[in-house]
Amino acid sequence: MITVIRTRTLNTLRTGLAAAQTDAEAARVEANACLEQSGDMLDHLTHADDVADGLRADLAQSRLDAARLEGEVEALRAQVLLDTEDRQALRTLLRATRKQNQRADRVYVLFRFGELHSVHATSTAAEIAAEAEGAARDGWTPHTTCCDGTTAPASEVRWRIQPVLLGATQ
């Protein structure tokens, strides 16, 4: 079978073939560029995956470190609380020791009808001792005076409390 083609059709086909070949060559160049670009993208994607894996590992390590540090912080808080309690106990002991070490500068002597009855650290303690022996609960005065304003003799005063300075001579 023989096909008869006109020259004009043949020229049109040849022109179409040349255009198709040019288009095909341009498509090949574009495909190669896309292939090259996709290779670069694949390299970038692989690198991004590697970086992401590294970041995940760093995150896991950071979480472990944070958990360890939280445990240490809790232990330190407990230690601080114990130290605070210890300091408070030491302050209390120091105050008590200072109170015990403070020496009284005077004592209070309780006399009954002018005779020594007892010696006390405070006047209140002397009053309590006298009241235990039957002294009246009220009416305590430092010196008992008679009607004319003179001091009554010690032998006539039932109970008398007199402060005496320690280390003083009288």
Side-chain angles (χ1 to χ4, degrees), residues 47-107:
H47 179 69
D49 281 343
D50 293 343
V51 169
D53 288 341
L55 290 174
R56 284 187 195 102
D58 290 346
L59 178 62
Q61 184 61 41
S62 296
R63 285 182 177 157
L64 289 174
D65 291 344
R68 180 183 51 82
L69 291 174
E70 283 177 8
E72 288 178 10
V73 164
E74 288 302 317
L76 289 173
R77 279 186 186 141
Q79 185 63 41
V80 165
L81 289 176
L82 288 175
D83 289 348
T84 302
E85 289 175 2
D86 289 347
R87 281 195 302 275
Q88 183 61 37
L90 287 173
R91 282 188 200 113
T92 303
L93 287 173
L94 183 61
R95 267 190 231 113
T97 303
R98 285 180 180 159
K99 279 185 179 180
Q100 288 176 355
N101 287 341
Q102 288 178 346
R103 295 176 50 165
D105 62 342
R106 69 187 67 204
V107 292

Side-chain angles (χ1 to χ4, degrees), residues 104-152:
D105 62 342
R106 69 187 67 204
V107 292
Y108 296 88
V109 180
L110 178 62
F111 291 97
R112 183 175 187 178
F113 291 113
E115 292 185 20
L116 176 67
H117 180 271
S118 57
V119 178
H120 302 275
T122 64
S123 63
T124 305
E127 289 177 12
I128 291 171
E131 289 169 3
E133 295 287 327
R137 292 188 175 263
D138 56 350
W140 287 97
T141 58
H143 297 286
T144 305
T145 57
C146 283
C147 307
D148 59 357
T150 60
T151 304

